[in-house]
Amino acid sequence: MAPHLLLVLRILFFLTGLSDAQSVSTVSHVAVKQGGSIIIPCLYNQRYRNNVKYGCRGYNWFGCSTVVRTDHPKTSGKTSISDDINQRIFTVTMTSLSPSDSDYYWCNVERKEADNGVRLQISVPPGTPELYVDQQQMTGVVGGSVTVLCYYSSQGSSGRWCRMGGSCVAVGHSRVLDGTCVKLVQDQSRTTNGYVLMVTMSGLMMKNTGWYWCEKGDLQMPVHITVNQPTTTQSTTTITPSVTNRDNVETNENTDEKHQSWLEFLFIPLSLLVVLIAVTLVTLTMLRKHKDKKAKDQPPNTTVQPADPENDITYSTVSHTRGTAKQDLNPERHGDLYNTVIPKQHRTAQRAAEPDDVVYSTVAQHQRYSRSQRTRRDVGGNTGGSQ
């Protein structure tokens, strides 16, 4: 009786919690490659940040078996769980999947009155899944762009790109989603990987970090986009995969790496050349300034050549006579002659006073005598003159 009563109570709690069904949301159906892995994001309401989250397996919520919990155990076999309370998303990761893992699963939040959760289906087909991506997690930078390639196996309904907990963009449309321009292109020609739904998000912002999904028919494939701040070695635009032809899907990452390697190869020698030129110019400038300063600080050459004591000295005697008196110019008689130079203005005055004066000058070259010898010569000369 007790088990049946417990079952009835759980059903009643489940029914009373239907109005709160949107408190937890996730994708409805995913397909995974055999041997591959899948990350299932489960978005929950802000008021459940501190609640225990868990994943369980089974078609019915009240009859499902718990696989992992955020309190214990966080890892069970090939399944693990983690909770990001800032993004309000807990994720359940399953690895090494096989067809036996195909089943219904639940994203649940534990509550006192009644647990709340949402159901999804996981399919692991033996062949190629109907919808899949090469990478479930991609990275971009602020202001850059990112492109997601979603492969699908058959044509059918148009695809969509949706933000978990937000709105969607359909194929053939280009619109702004959370401030970022989103464009979807669906290639109708089959490639080696199947048909391609190409999603391009440009003008990325930090708030664009989160979970999205590709949708084709009743299948969805979750993709996480991480937006980082650009660094000095990182371009503001991220080169992402693109479809280059009808038969092959290539990426432009290799081309970008080649261009970057060429730029690095040229950048190093050019940088060294610029540094060398700059050092040379600075050195020449400093040398020129040093020379100019040295020339400026050097005192002018004011050296006066000393008089040569051995040079001959010439003396001249000027005497004034009146009338027609003649001056005896014999050097043997008068000895040394000295010249008295009268400045021009004095001579003018003198001529005014004595207009009839005549000036005679005798110049004799002689050797230098000592003072005593000169005195004797002067005395002798005077004596001879008086005689």
Side-chain angles (χ1 to χ4, degrees):
M1 184 67 182
H4 293 85
L5 180 58
L6 181 60
L7 178 60
V8 171
L9 291 175
R10 293 189 68 177
I11 294 173
L12 291 176
F13 284 135
F14 176 74
L15 293 175
T16 56
L18 287 178
S19 59
D20 201 24
Q22 296 300 320
S23 295
V24 183
S25 60
T26 187
V27 293
S28 58
H29 188 189
V30 296
V32 188
K33 291 181 179 180
Q34 188 173 354
S37 61
I38 187 68
I39 303 175
I40 303 297
C42 306
L43 178 67
Y44 57 86
N45 193 282
Q46 176 70 23
R47 60 177 176 269
Y48 295 150
R49 293 183 57 183
N50 299 322
N51 290 57
V52 174
K53 290 86 178 178
Y54 65 96
C56 64
R57 180 176 180 174
Y59 183 80
N60 297 315
W61 170 78
F62 49 84
C64 68
S65 58
T66 301
V67 179
V68 287
R69 295 169 58 93
T70 55
D71 54 355
H72 182 76
K74 291 186 177 181
T75 302
S76 177
K78 52 188 180 181
T79 306
S80 60
I81 189 172
S82 63
D83 187 12
D84 185 350
I85 60 176
N86 294 323
Q87 294 290 328
R88 297 182 295 106
I89 292 178
F90 70 93
T91 57
V92 178
T93 303
M94 303 175 67
T95 60
S96 303
L97 293 174
S98 63
S100 61
D101 294 315
S102 298
D103 206 342
Y104 289 93
Y105 295 83
W106 288 78
C107 293
N108 289 335
V109 175
E110 191 173 75
R111 301 190 305 172
K112 293 181 179 180
E113 59 278 11
D115 295 351
N116 193 2
V118 61
R119 185 179 66 187
L120 71 146
Q121 182 181 1
I122 297 178
S123 300
V124 186
T128 302
E130 296 183 19
L131 178 66
Y132 70 96
V133 293
D134 289 330
Q135 303 178 59
Q136 251 195 294
Q137 300 186 67
M138 303 193 69
T139 303
V141 296
V142 173
S145 63
V146 64
T147 299
V148 181
L149 299 180
C150 303
Y151 302 100
Y152 56 98
S153 59
S154 61
Q155 291 181 332
S157 59
S158 297
R160 296 197 306 169
W161 176 257
C162 302
R163 173 82 185 253
M164 180 165 286
S167 56
C168 299
V169 180
V171 169
H173 296 80
S174 179
R175 55 168 292 189
V176 175
L177 185 63
D178 293 335
T180 299
C181 182
V182 179
K183 183 178 181 180
L184 274 69
V185 177
Q186 185 168 303
D187 193 348
Q188 299 296 330
S189 299
R190 185 176 181 84
T191 67
T192 55
N193 294 332
Y195 302 97
V196 178
L197 174 62
M198 184 168 60
V199 181
T200 302
M201 298 178 63
S202 57
L204 294 173
M205 297 180 290
M206 292 295 295
K207 68 178 182 178
N208 297 132
T209 296
W211 281 96
Y212 300 79
W213 72 71
C214 290
E215 182 177 288
K216 194 72 170 64
D218 64 339
L219 288 171
Q220 299 88 35
M221 177 52 62
V223 177
H224 187 267
I225 305 294
T226 302
V227 182
N228 298 320
Q229 290 288 350
T231 61
T232 55
T233 59
Q234 202 172 19
S235 175
T236 56
T237 301
T238 303
I239 303 299
T240 51
S242 62
V243 179
T244 57
N245 53 52
R246 301 295 185 181
D247 299 323
N248 297 288
V249 178
E250 299 179 350
T251 65
N252 292 331
E253 294 178 355
N254 293 334
T255 304
D256 184 58
E257 291 177 358
K258 291 180 181 179
H259 291 168
Q260 185 175 0
S261 63
W262 272 106
L263 289 176
E264 292 177 354
F265 178 78
L266 294 175
F267 179 77
I268 294 175
L270 289 176
S271 300
L272 293 176
L273 181 60
V274 171
V275 171
L276 181 61
I277 293 174
V279 171
T280 304
L281 292 176
V282 171
T283 303
L284 293 176
T285 303
M286 292 179 65
L287 289 175
R288 187 179 296 109
K289 289 182 178 180
H290 180 70
K291 290 181 179 179
D292 294 342
K293 183 177 180 182
K294 186 176 181 180
K296 183 178 181 181
D297 295 340
Q298 186 175 2
N301 188 5
T302 57
T303 305
V304 178
Q305 296 295 334
D308 188 356
E310 300 299 328
N311 290 340
D312 295 337
I313 302 176
T314 302
Y315 300 89
S316 176
T317 300
V318 179
S319 60
H320 300 276
T321 60
R322 294 183 176 272
T324 59
K326 295 184 179 179
Q327 178 71 28
D328 188 359
L329 302 177
N330 187 1
E332 296 295 328
R333 180 180 177 181
H334 296 284
D336 293 339
L337 297 180
Y338 295 87
N339 181 32
T340 301
V341 180
I342 301 174
K344 183 176 182 180
Q345 57 274 23
H346 293 172
R347 291 199 305 270
T348 303
Q350 186 176 3
R351 289 174 183 174
E354 301 176 1
D356 297 331
D357 291 346
V358 178
V359 178
Y360 298 92
S361 174
T362 300
V363 178
Q365 187 173 5
H366 60 86
Q367 294 182 349
R368 177 176 297 180
Y369 295 94
S370 63
R371 180 176 298 179
S372 59
Q373 292 174 341
R374 186 180 302 164
T375 304
R376 288 194 300 269
R377 284 179 59 88
D378 292 342
V379 173
N382 296 331
T383 304
S386 60
Q387 291 176 357

